[in-house]
Amino acid sequence: MRYFELATDCFLVEGQNEAALYDVHGGRLFLLDRSAHELLRSCADGAPVPDNSSEDAVAFLDALQAAGLGFFDDAAAGSDKLLLHQPIEWKGMCMTPPDFKSVDWQITNACDLDCRLCGDDDKTLSWQSCQTCLRRDAGGAEAWMPEDLEAFIADIANLGVGTLHIRGGEPLLAWQRLERIAQAAAETPLTLVVTTTGMGRPANDLIALGKGRRFGLNIVMFGHDDETSETACGRSGVLAAQVALIDALVEAQIAFSITFLLTPLTQGRRNAMQEFAQRRWRTRPAFSEVCTREDVKNGFRLSHLDERERKPLAPWESPEMFFFRVRNNTCTSGLLEIGADGLLRTCSGLPKVHGDVGRQGLVAALSGTGLYESWKRGKSDVEPCRRCALRYACSDCSSFEFADQPDANAKSAYCGYDPCDDTESAIEREWTPTSFVRPLRLRERA
Ligand code: SF4
Ligand code: SF4
Ligand code: SF4
């Protein structure tokens, strides 16, 4: 009797209907057709390869063995593949201390621009808002500030945090506060990143703020031409001022990134915005999107579902990174946000509150478990992604941001693939083969 076992670094991950084969060391993801899935499922269950197997099945397993993805054996497969189905939790004395990577801090709620969908958290949904200045509550009170600002920055640095990310509203409207934060951060190993539209201060002030420090600016833009920009942010002349600022940053060699904030009215210009930033500054911009819950009901789809980009499946750079992904949410792990309201959340895209930094102080707010549990809330914990065979390769966070949205259209707003679709090869139709992801059919060789 012969058995077939997958290589120790090769995992069969099953969704509700379909399955994928993860070649962890080879950095490849194979989308299995139904026959290949059924065959490998039965091998993984410890069933022998039937003596009367079809020629195709034997050739398929031979090819997997030749490609180093598995091997024939005289004994049934062991249970070493449980890892991806029952991740082991280390608790109590064995729990590792939290690895704080980045703190997002909204130091002001003020802004002079007038983006229609900003500051109305109850009615809107956002994607990657942590890269923007979007507010939760535009009418909120003056932002919370610690009594001893310098000591607070030192406390953040003492946690081992790498990046202090200052957001607003518009942090340049709280200029004195921002200068004190920059000075205090410069006394620590922290890297300071400020997300801003750049409006409200001369370029030279921003250059002086960052010169000679571990510092970067993330400029939030609204369009590649005046009309698009004004449509989104409600004011003319913003684009010209931003272009002049970024040109000055390039000249002064201040590190910067660009994030375009898209709305349903401007998302159709995404490619033009990307080309604009690449042509002028050789910079690939990031994108964030905001829409109303009503838009989602009416069939809104995030722009990265268009033909050019499709759903992002991200290769892992090393086996360690792959296994980190299995156990953690790579988007949020190590991240915490202190809102303008002084409340502790994981990030701007996730509304759940884990503590009150304003009332309790930083250390007490961080002593609850909610934040750390959120770092581990991965795709295996949200519907419908937990039914998806690609849940360890899909890098998109929108499923977390849109997860609690009751509307039935919410899923199609962020992903075109339906893991509950039981028609043959639904998984193959959604992705174009690349060097990372490719179909693997029983009738074809590995
Ligand atoms: S610029 Fe930023 S903070 Fe100001 S209204 Fe627009 S999204 Fe909100
Ligand atoms: S889920 Fe990820 S991308 Fe979205 S806001 Fe939070 S940290 Fe940012
Ligand atoms: S977002 Fe789509 S592709 Fe990603 S895990 Fe969820 S269902 Fe799968």
Side-chain angles (χ1 to χ4, degrees):
M1 219 177 290
R2 285 205 311 167
Y3 297 84
F4 187 85
E5 187 168 357
L6 288 173
T8 50
D9 60 351
C10 198
F11 294 89
L12 175 69
V13 175
E14 296 179 293
Q16 177 163 316
N17 297 304
E18 303 193 85
L21 195 60
Y22 288 59
D23 173 12
V24 173
H25 275 89
R28 291 176 298 177
L29 179 67
F30 297 101
L31 311 180
L32 301 177
D33 74 356
R34 197 159 287 178
S35 322
H37 175 194
E38 280 165 10
L39 177 61
L40 290 180
R41 168 77 269 157
S42 111
C43 293
D45 283 343
V49 180
D51 290 336
N52 60 353
S53 294
S54 69
E55 270 181 33
D56 282 335
V58 173
F60 176 78
L61 295 177
D62 277 343
L64 286 187
Q65 178 164 265
L69 300 174
F71 54 91
F72 288 98
D73 205 351
D74 296 335
S79 56
D80 55 332
K81 297 299 187 296
L82 282 180
L83 175 69
L84 296 197
H85 302 289
Q86 285 188 333
I88 297 159
E89 288 291 330
W90 292 89
K91 290 214 163 109
M93 296 291 285
C94 295
M95 197 172 89
T96 49
D99 183 9
F100 296 104
K101 296 192 178 86
S102 182
V103 171
D104 281 13
W105 184 12
Q106 288 183 291
I107 65 163
T108 179
N109 230 354
C111 182
D112 283 346
L113 300 186
D114 187 18
C115 302
R116 191 173 57 90
L117 300 180
C118 175
D120 202 352
D121 231 17
D122 292 342
K123 297 205 178 102
T124 56
L125 283 169
S126 59
W127 173 67
Q128 299 202 155
S129 57
C130 59
Q131 304 300 322
T132 73
C133 44
L134 271 176
R135 295 165 290 184
R136 286 207 163 75
D137 177 9
E142 177 59 16
W144 168 82
M145 268 297 123
E147 277 176 24
D148 187 339
L149 186 57
E150 285 71 19
F152 187 69
I153 303 287
D155 282 347
I156 289 174
N158 287 338
L159 291 172
V161 170
T163 302
L164 175 59
H165 178 194
I166 300 297
R167 301 174 56 235
E170 177 49 81
L172 304 192
L173 296 181
W175 182 251
Q176 287 180 347
R177 209 174 280 167
L178 184 59
E179 276 190 313
R180 280 179 63 194
I181 290 170
Q183 274 161 14
E187 304 295 318
T188 72
L190 287 167
T191 296
L192 187 69
V193 174
V194 181
T195 284
T196 170
T197 62
M199 306 299 289
R201 296 299 299 190
N204 282 344
D205 284 358
L206 287 169
I207 291 167
L209 192 73
K211 202 75 186 168
R213 291 175 170 158
R214 285 177 299 279
F215 179 84
L217 286 168
N218 173 39
I219 309 293
V220 180
M221 299 183 74
F222 306 96
H224 64 296
D225 60 27
D226 286 331
E227 191 190 340
T228 313
S229 178
E230 188 177 343
T231 300
C233 75
R235 199 205 281 178
S236 63
V238 170
L239 177 63
Q242 292 185 315
V243 167
L245 168 65
I246 297 173
D247 286 350
L249 296 176
V250 172
E251 178 79 23
Q253 298 187 325
I254 297 289
F256 72 93
S257 57
I258 294 171
T259 302
F260 282 102
L261 177 58
L262 305 177
T263 71
L265 290 178
T266 60
Q267 68 160 204
R269 317 304 304 275
R270 174 183 165 132
N271 291 342
M273 294 180 204
Q274 180 157 322
E275 280 157 22
F276 173 72
Q278 279 177 325
R279 202 174 48 244
R280 185 158 187 116
W281 300 296
R282 294 167 199 245
T283 296
R284 190 178 168 84
F287 290 92
S288 166
E289 296 197 40
V290 58
C291 66
T292 65
R293 288 167 196 268
E294 207 53 35
D295 290 328
V296 169
K297 278 194 189 132
N298 294 332
F300 168 85
R301 282 162 60 89
L302 289 168
S303 62
H304 64 290
L305 298 186
D306 69 13
E307 286 302 310
R308 282 176 62 169
E309 303 248 331
R310 292 197 166 237
K311 188 74 187 170
L313 295 179
W316 45 91
E317 280 161 19
S318 64
E320 291 73 26
M321 182 188 273
F322 174 78
F323 291 113
F324 182 82
R325 270 189 200 180
V326 170
R327 296 194 178 97
N328 299 278
N329 181 329
T330 45
C331 195
T332 59
S333 182
L335 179 62
L336 62 99
E337 185 207 54
I338 303 163
D341 49 14
L343 297 179
L344 173 72
R345 299 178 181 85
T346 308
C347 64
S348 64
L350 305 178
K352 195 162 182 186
V353 173
H354 306 303
D356 188 337
V357 178
R359 290 221 177 117
Q360 300 171 274
L362 183 63
V363 173
L366 287 173
S367 59
T369 55
L371 176 68
Y372 314 114
E373 281 160 12
S374 79
W375 291 356
K376 293 188 182 300
R377 187 174 187 239
K379 295 232 164 55
S380 302
D381 302 307
V382 293
E383 288 285 0
C385 302
R386 71 186 187 85
R387 302 171 194 276
C388 176
L390 306 179
R391 58 191 179 273
Y392 302 123
C394 174
S395 64
D396 197 334
C397 61
S398 45
S399 42
F400 304 110
E401 295 159 327
F402 284 43
D404 301 326
Q405 166 70 4
D407 188 81
N409 276 344
K411 161 69 179 55
S412 49
Y414 64 80
C415 181
Y417 171 58
D418 177 5
C420 303
D421 181 345
D422 63 358
T423 57
E424 174 91 53
S425 303
I427 201 167
E428 253 187 57
R429 284 197 300 274
E430 190 59 24
W431 282 277
T432 314
T434 64
S435 58
F436 170 55
V437 48
R438 62 187 77 170
L440 183 59
R441 304 182 191 104
L442 191 106
R443 283 171 189 279
E444 288 177 5
R445 306 295 157 86

